[in-house]
């Protein structure tokens, strides 16, 4: 595992165990913290003051705005129809698919072991429950949980610190 030379790190980024992460072709904003066993692939943009907990995977096409929290073991996916091989039996390469974008807006939180499917936008200050499978966009301030994730309440009605 490594931090590639093509990674753009902002000021005061904290990577707790640099020898136990895999970062390449990404941009990490100032003040962000990255835990152990995290992989962040090319074309990922991580905003400022984010926290990415251990064992999380951010694939090509993910954008985290500022102050986003990613719990342990969160998985982002970027391919709606994944295949190992083409119809002729040849192994697929990067040229055989296009990464589908995912956007996580400012201040959102994603609980441990959540899975985020391709093409999703998670709204400002939304909360994704642990273990949720997010299959559609999440509105600003929504709290979603379950498989598939469904809205269970609004953050604003349950916190005076927002």
């Amino acid at each position: 595992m490594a931090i590639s030379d093509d990674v753009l790190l902002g000021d005061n980024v904290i990577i707790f165990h640099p020898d136990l992460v895999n970062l390449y072709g990404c941009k990490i904003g100032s003040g962000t913290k990255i835990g152990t066993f995290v992989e962040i692939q090319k074309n990922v943009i991580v905003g400022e003051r984010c926290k990415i907990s251990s064992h999380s995977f951010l694939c090509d096409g993910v954008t985290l705005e500022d102050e986003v929290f990613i719990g342990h073991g969160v998985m982002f996916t970027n391919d709606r129809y994944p295949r190992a091989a083409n119809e002729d039996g040849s192994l697929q390469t990067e040229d055989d698919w296009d990464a589908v974008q995912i956007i996580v807006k400012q201040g959102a939180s994603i609980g441990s072991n959540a899975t985020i499917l391709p093409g999703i936008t998670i709204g400002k200050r939304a909360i994704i429950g642990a273990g949720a499978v997010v299959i559609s966009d999440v509105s600003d301030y929504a709290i979603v949980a379950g498989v598939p994730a469904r809205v269970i309440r609004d953050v604003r009605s349950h916190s005076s610190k927002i």
Side-chain angles (χ1 to χ4, degrees), residues 2-106:
I3 301 173
S4 177
D5 292 339
D6 61 359
V7 173
L8 298 175
L9 294 174
D11 295 332
N12 302 314
V13 170
I14 297 170
I15 301 173
F16 292 101
H17 294 98
D19 52 334
L20 296 174
V21 298
N22 190 22
L23 310 180
Y24 57 95
C26 56
K27 180 180 178 185
I28 311 296
S30 297
T32 289
K33 296 180 181 181
I34 299 174
T36 308
F37 304 117
V38 167
E39 179 167 336
I40 303 176
Q41 295 185 331
K42 68 182 171 96
N43 302 320
V44 171
I45 299 170
V46 176
E48 295 184 357
R49 299 172 308 284
C50 293
K51 181 178 180 186
I52 302 170
S53 301
S54 68
H55 299 88
S56 292
F57 175 72
L58 284 69
C59 55
D60 183 351
V62 171
T63 297
L64 306 182
E65 293 185 354
D66 295 342
E67 300 162 3
V68 168
F69 172 83
I70 304 296
H72 300 279
V74 171
M75 294 292 140
F76 289 87
T77 62
N78 63 4
D79 191 349
R80 287 193 172 107
Y81 305 102
R83 297 277 186 234
N86 296 309
E87 293 209 16
D88 65 3
S90 62
L91 284 176
Q92 285 198 344
T93 68
E94 254 184 69
D95 296 331
D96 294 312
W97 59 277
D98 294 315
V100 180
Q101 301 293 307
I102 295 172
I103 299 171
V104 182
K105 295 201 172 185
Q106 189 264 330

Side-chain angles (χ1 to χ4, degrees), residues 61-63 75-78 80 100-105 110 115-123 128 133-139 144 149:
V62 171
T63 297
M75 294 292 140
F76 289 87
T77 62
N78 63 4
R80 287 193 172 107
V100 180
Q101 301 293 307
I102 295 172
I103 299 171
V104 182
K105 295 201 172 185
I110 302 177
T115 300
I116 314 302
L117 296 187
I120 302 297
T121 296
I122 296 174
I128 310 301
V133 177
V134 181
I135 65 169
S136 60
D137 290 347
V138 176
S139 300
V144 302

